Amino acid sequence: MAKQLREVYGTVLKELGETNQDIVVLDADLSGSTKSAIFGKAYPDRFFNMGIAESNMVSTAAGLATVGKIPFVNTFTVFLTTLGLIAARGQVCYGNLNVKFGGAYCGMSDALDGASHHALEDIANMRSLPNMRIIAPSDETSCRWATQWAAEHYGPVYLRLSRDVYPDLYPAGTQFEMGKGAIVREGTDVTVIACGLLVHKAMEAAEALEKEGVSVRVVDMYSIKPIDEELIIRCAKETGALVVAEEHNIYGGLGSAVSEVLAHAGVGVPTEFVGIRDTFTESGKYAELLAKYGVDAEGVKRAVEIVVRRK
């Protein structure tokens, strides 16, 4: 049954907290929205509401990590990866401390609050930090794995979550691996490499294009850092064209990461990017915003048609 990723995340945190007494959770006065309150209600002595003070929250988490705790820090994605960035860089990543970042409202999923609350630079910000690992789950099963992996891995981890409901993609018990992506649909004419919500939009586009005689492979690149270089190169060579789709600025995110892999390997294929075109977004209904900025199934379909013509 389709669920909000933030709800899955909060539930898994509670489950992990039952068996791991070192897990502590911090929130910037938004625990009802981030769903960290699920943990807080179960373990109030290990839950800290830090108020609207994101940098201080991350700094406090860094201190807790130095005494053996496993802190999960939470707030809206845009504030966690901007206001919290200086402490993430200068304390957590510089010291390679065991702090986990739960960004609850990625992309435009906090739709009606507008540009100030949309997170479209977060992958770029966090990807540039040494020692940081980045996971972008695409459904309940992958989100459950990502949260569990973050708790078990020593070092900084950023979980790119959403307030929206994501359809089911993987059966329960699916095995994931950090540093890998997953082919979720086979195809021969072009590969769409996507993350998060755009995996589902890519699947919709692939189904529509199949009726037009275009065979589309879809890859869920749930591990953004480290990224699956081998899979990217293989897909480029096998299908001869790529589309990279993300709910993020086209600069610095998944598209940039894929391009870096291709350039380093000397693999040149027609490539298109589906993402926010270097602009601030606006307030509106989520589905309408996705359509307006071209980060929906139709946007993926158009990009595929462009690269297929360029092959």
Side-chain angles (χ1 to χ4, degrees):
M1 183 177 181
K3 292 184 178 179
Q4 293 178 330
L5 294 192
R6 57 178 180 152
E7 187 82 35
V8 175
Y9 167 76
T11 301
V12 176
L13 272 186
K14 176 187 174 184
E15 294 170 1
L16 293 170
E18 184 176 355
T19 57
N20 191 334
Q21 299 297 313
D22 288 329
I23 291 177
V24 295
V25 173
L26 300 82
D27 205 293
D29 207 28
L30 287 166
S31 61
S33 297
T34 65
K35 301 304 179 182
S36 69
I38 298 172
F39 180 98
K41 183 177 181 180
Y43 317 110
D45 58 328
R46 288 187 278 147
F47 177 80
F48 306 95
N49 183 356
M50 303 300 296
I52 305 173
E54 293 82 0
S55 184
N56 185 53
M57 174 177 67
V58 177
S59 294
T60 301
L64 288 165
T66 65
V67 294
K69 300 303 179 183
I70 306 173
F72 280 76
V73 294
N74 307 270
T75 186
F76 287 2
T77 305
V78 66
F79 305 132
L80 187 63
T81 60
T82 55
L83 298 171
L85 189 60
I86 188 168
R89 178 191 182 277
Q91 294 173 291
V92 175
C93 288
Y94 187 80
N96 194 27
L97 298 176
N98 198 24
V99 177
K100 321 303 172 181
F101 297 78
Y105 284 38
C106 73
M108 297 181 289
S109 63
D110 192 13
L112 292 171
D113 284 330
S116 64
H117 284 57
H118 295 173
L120 300 166
E121 314 86 11
D122 56 303
I123 296 175
N125 291 346
M126 303 302 265
R127 194 167 73 89
S128 67
L129 298 178
N131 295 319
M132 183 65 74
R133 301 291 182 265
I134 302 174
I135 311 175
S138 57
D139 78 340
E140 176 183 0
T141 301
S142 58
C143 186
R144 174 170 287 276
W145 165 79
T147 309
Q148 292 170 340
W149 188 90
E152 294 166 1
H153 168 78
Y154 185 92
V157 180
Y158 169 49
L159 301 175
R160 192 175 203 246
L161 309 172
S162 175
R163 71 172 293 173
D164 204 44
V165 173
Y166 280 22
D168 291 333
L169 184 63
Y170 298 101
T174 298
Q175 297 299 306
F176 299 90
E177 185 178 348
M178 193 61 185
K180 296 295 183 181
I183 297 174
V184 292
R185 181 188 174 99
E186 280 291 358
T188 57
D189 294 326
V190 60
T191 299
V192 179
I193 299 175
C195 63
L197 180 66
L198 268 294
V199 177
H200 301 281
K201 301 304 180 184
M203 295 286 278
E204 292 177 34
E207 291 173 9
L209 285 159
E210 185 178 31
K211 299 173 184 176
E212 300 176 12
V214 180
S215 177
V216 179
R217 179 181 296 180
V218 179
V219 169
D220 176 9
M221 195 58 72
Y222 56 83
S223 176
I224 295 178
K225 185 184 179 186
I227 200 165
D228 194 339
E229 298 182 10
E230 181 182 354
L231 181 58
I232 293 168
I233 294 167
R234 177 161 69 89
C235 288
K237 290 180 176 179
E238 289 178 352
T239 65
L242 294 180
V243 170
V244 187
E246 59 189 317
E247 192 184 352
H248 186 275
N249 197 323
I250 58 172
Y251 298 114
L254 178 61
S256 294
V258 170
S259 298
E260 290 160 14
V261 171
L262 295 175
H264 183 72
V267 178
V269 296
T271 305
E272 279 291 319
F273 303 95
V274 175
I276 304 301
R277 297 280 164 174
D278 198 29
T279 185
F280 289 105
T281 46
E282 60 191 64
S283 183
K285 294 180 180 179
Y286 192 32
E288 293 176 2
L289 291 176
L290 293 171
K292 175 169 183 173
Y293 295 103
V295 285
D296 61 354
E298 187 59 34
V300 175
K301 184 173 181 289
R302 287 194 299 268
V304 168
E305 291 168 344
I306 290 170
V307 293
V308 168
R309 288 197 297 268
R310 290 168 52 198
K311 285 182 67 175

